[in-house]
Amino acid sequence: MTCGRQNQRRAGLALAAAALLLAGCGQSAETKGADGAKGGAKGGAAAGASASAPSSASAKASVAPLGPGEVRVGGEVAKPYSVTLADLRKLPQASVEVKFTSAKGEQRHTYQGVPLHDVLKTAEPRFDAAKKNGQLRGFVSATGGGDYRAVFAWAEIDPGFAKSQVLLAVSEDGVAFDDAAGPRLVVPQDTKGGRYVSELNQLWVGVVDPVVDGAK
């Protein structure tokens, strides 16, 4: 009887130890599962955030394509905008007779259009008013069809400094330009026609300070 009771007691203790061991393993597995779930949640959240966050390229606002004959005015300006030949025809016009040489020989024409200074002034160029004649640090890049480009110093188009007016022409010798072709830049003071930019589609205002001050 004594041996039987001892065997029963030992068996009970063994069962209790096994139960405790199983309980501990189960708790460990549950804890590990919870941690894994947390890790998965964190990973999923991070992946979701990564997937939902736009790339730097797509985050930038895309520039709307230009319509036929449309000119975009931008750069260091407070109010970028675009203008068409139809818009230019509604503005006060100026007329100029010019003579210049080109690949076709000497050219003589009468152009009618809007002073370039007036068009750019509407965009409100951001020149540093704290600097004496801060606008003289400015320049204008004009781009036309076929990626043709010419540059002007601001003083060349500002009537406060220049004797002649650079025009955005809407007609040549009384014949209106086609709306789809856009205006033509006319530079009366030039003896060659290189800066008579045809099919104009972009006017970009800049300042030289970042280039000059950053130059080595």
Side-chain angles (χ1 to χ4, degrees), residues 183-194:
R184 184 181 190 187
L185 211 59
V186 172
V187 194
Q189 65 265 35
D190 285 7
T191 58
K192 292 187 176 181

Side-chain angles (χ1 to χ4, degrees), residues 4 8 18 27 30 40 61 64 68-69 74 80 86-87 96 127 139 154 167 173-174 184 186 194 198:
Q8 289 179 357
Q27 185 177 4
E30 289 175 2
D87 298 326
V96 62
F127 298 134
F139 64 90
W154 185 263
L167 295 184
D173 300 327
R184 184 181 190 187
V186 172
S198 300

Side-chain angles (χ1 to χ4, degrees), residues 12 32 66 68 72 85 93 110 116-117 122 151 189 209 215:
K32 184 176 180 180
L66 289 171
R72 179 176 290 122
L85 268 176
Q93 304 288 299
T110 298
L116 175 60
H117 183 262
T122 300
V151 176
Q189 65 265 35
D209 292 26

Side-chain angles (χ1 to χ4, degrees), residues 15 26 30 32 47 55 57 71-72 92 100 102 106 109-110 115 119 137 140 150 160 164 182 186-187 193 196:
L15 289 172
E30 289 175 2
K32 184 176 180 180
S55 66
V71 181
R72 179 176 290 122
F100 60 90
S102 71
E106 185 177 270
H109 297 289
T110 298
V119 173
R137 300 164 182 254
V140 179
S164 58
V186 172
V187 194
Y196 279 61

